[in-house]
């Protein structure tokens, strides 16, 4: 019998209710129901010892806003991870490594991950220096808190846990093979004056697969040529890209899309 692969994710947050609806719908809901994904939300405030349950304080040296105190975060992580030093402890941070599809694939192979969501002006530097093993950003902009970022990361990871999507489905998507996915169509065959390419209706699987690969190359070339630089393209692909370059120089010639 196949062993069920599960990723267990603990999230430390001051706002656990933010996670309720997004994680209880659609694919993420099913992933949890089927045991592929276990999500535990931990209220950081539960790890305070003072009467007012303070999780933040004024920044040393002055400045705007509040900084999240280190002690409740350290206590929460130690209570959750116990003596297991192998669990990745990830801080969501606009200063972290930018999250990618490759990182989602790698993280989906971890049995357990702890995410820490910052808020206000962020977390005390000692959390970064002595507790976390990785810092992840979801892009070069600043959110009010790490909760939305954690949800984005969890969603992308879940798609790569075996059993969550149909076998291989996540690997057809943009970025998985290094290319953007090519244009897709559904019924009706003609809409807004545009006809679905005949090859997609031909029923010839090998020809369709070839067309889809070239459509992916074309889309990547048009929108994200930088991605092509990191790929090991074969002779046929390189010749196709040369054709695209020529088409660009001589617009008006027919193309695939
Ligand atoms: C207002 S931000 C703090 C920004 C911090 N003062 C700075 O300038 O780097 C509060 C929290 O939101 C989260 N956050 C904000 N932008 C993020 C991003 N792009 N990716 C991941 N987390 C982010 C982090 O957890 C951060 O601690």
């Amino acid at each position: 019998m196949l062993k069920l692969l599960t990723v267990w994710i603990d999230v430390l947050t001051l706002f656990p209710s933010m996670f309720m609806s997004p994680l209880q719908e659609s694919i993420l809901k099913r992933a949890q129901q089927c045991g592929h994904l276990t999500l535990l939300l931990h209220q950081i405030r539960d790890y305070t010892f003072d009467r007012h349950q303070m999780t933040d304080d004024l920044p040393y040296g002055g400045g705007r806003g509040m900084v999240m105190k280190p002690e409740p975060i350290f206590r929460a992580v130690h209570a959750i991870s116990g003596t297991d030093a192998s669990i990745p402890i990830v801080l969501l941070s606009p200063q972290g490594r930018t999250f990618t599809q490759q990182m989602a694939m790698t993280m989906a192979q971890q049995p357990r991950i702890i995410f820490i969501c910052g808020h206000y002006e962020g977390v005390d530097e000692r959390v970064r220096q002595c507790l976390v093993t990785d810092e992840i950003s979801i892009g070069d902009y600043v959110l009010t808190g790490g909760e939305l970022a954690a949800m984005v990361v969890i969603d992308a990871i879940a798609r790569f846990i075996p059993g969550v999507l149909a076998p291989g489905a996540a690997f057809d998507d943009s970025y998985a093979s290094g290319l953007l996915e090519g244009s897709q169509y559904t019924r009706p065959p003609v809409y807004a004056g545009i006809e679905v390419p005949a090859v997609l209706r031909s029923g010839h699987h090998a020809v369709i697969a070839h067309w889809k690969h070239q459509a992916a190359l074309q889309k990547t070339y048009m929108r994200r040529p930088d991605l092509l630089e990191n790929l090991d393209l074969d002779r046929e692909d390189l010749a196709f890209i040369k054709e695209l370059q020529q088409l660009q120089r001589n617009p008006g010639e027919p193309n695939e899309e």
Side-chain angles (χ1 to χ4, degrees), residues 85-102:
S86 68
I87 304 174
I89 301 164
V90 181
L91 174 67
L92 280 313
S93 159
Q95 302 176 14
R97 306 191 280 145
T98 308
F99 189 58
T100 63
Q101 187 84 327
Q102 283 300 326

Side-chain angles (χ1 to χ4, degrees), residues 88-99 103 107 115-116 123-125 127-138 153:
I89 301 164
V90 181
L91 174 67
L92 280 313
S93 159
Q95 302 176 14
R97 306 191 280 145
T98 308
F99 189 58
M103 285 159 72
M107 291 172 93
F115 286 111
I116 303 172
V123 301
D124 183 284
E125 184 63 22
V127 171
R128 292 178 199 280
Q129 286 189 7
C130 311
L131 192 63
V132 307
T133 56
D134 200 357
E135 284 182 54
I136 290 182
S137 163
I138 62 160
V153 171

